[in-house]
């Protein structure tokens, strides 16, 4: 889709988004592409999706976050890695995307729209990364860095203030205490290309199964399943 084919309404939406998040795009076509989910290109072959931009944005997000943590904190490597993992996760990015109204700008295929894709955490997080990738290409590293830090610093502060919850450890401790058994995790599926995989995991407590839950890594999917179990299992 070329920029000059964008409708005036779409341009207005994109410019409103830019103003809200304090960024400026020279090429609105690139920004528009960042909102195009792969389900759309499955139906319309002449439209580019945001997967390549997401791949790039994921790396930019990672280096910006890692550099900020390194320069602003004296914690050991293990602590920095845990904080980074928490704030660049699907669980952290998806709520940010909703606050920025990214869900309203997503362009999805008909099938994905019908199944609630507009509010799926994985799609929202991927779009966040695609926007970062697009902004890096459009305006360079420094501007992309400023945009990333605008929402990552509050997340880092929140993690440092409230601590990092290891839901798997908490679940194991609580379940062993009341049932003398360990939770059993099962990998249901692993989908997507090597650079952008989605893991689906469930956890079994006795005969009760919680999930499936997804994550960008197997560990994250297990953490999400553990949290679901903690929120819903009645520990005696």
């Amino acid at each position: 889709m070329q920029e000059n084919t964008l409708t005036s309404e779409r341009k207005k939406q994109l410019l409103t988004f830019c103003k809200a998040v304090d960024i400026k795009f020279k090429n609105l076509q690139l920004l528009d592409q960042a909102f195009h989910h792969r389900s759309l290109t499955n139906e319309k072959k002449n439209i580019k999706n945001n997967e390549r931009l997401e791949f790039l944005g994921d790396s930019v997000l990672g280096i910006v976050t890692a550099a900020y943590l390194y320069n602003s904190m004296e914690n050991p490597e293990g602590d920095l890695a845990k904080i980074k993992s928490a704030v660049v996760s699907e669980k952290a990015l998806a709520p940010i995307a909703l606050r920025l109204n990214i869900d309203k700008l997503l362009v999805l295929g008909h099938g994905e729209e019908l199944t609630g894709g507009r509010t799926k955490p994985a799609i929202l997080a991927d779009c966040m990364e695609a926007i970062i990738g697009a902004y890096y290409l459009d305006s360079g590293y420094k501007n992309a860095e400023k945009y990333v830090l605008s929402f990552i610093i509050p997340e880092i502060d929140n993690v440092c203030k409230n601590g990092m919850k290891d839901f798997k450890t908490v679940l194991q401790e609580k379940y062993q205490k009341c049932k003398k058994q360990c939770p059993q995790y099962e990998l249901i599926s692993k989908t997507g290309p090597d650079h952008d995989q989605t893991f689906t995991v469930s956890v079994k407590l006795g005969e009760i199964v919680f999930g499936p839950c997804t994550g960008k890594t197997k560990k994250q999917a297990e953490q999400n399943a553990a949290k679901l179990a903690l929120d819903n299992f009645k520990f005696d």
Side-chain angles (χ1 to χ4, degrees), residues 119-131:
T119 56
K120 289 181 180 177
I123 291 178
L124 290 167
D126 289 349
C127 187
M128 283 286 292
E129 292 175 343
I131 293 168

Side-chain angles (χ1 to χ4, degrees), residues 45-65:
K45 302 299 182 182
N46 61 328
I47 295 180
K48 293 181 179 180
N49 64 42
N50 65 6
E51 284 187 313
R52 284 169 54 84
L53 291 174
E54 176 210 333
F55 165 73
L56 179 60
D58 176 64
S59 295
V60 176
L61 173 63
I63 188 60
V64 169
T65 304

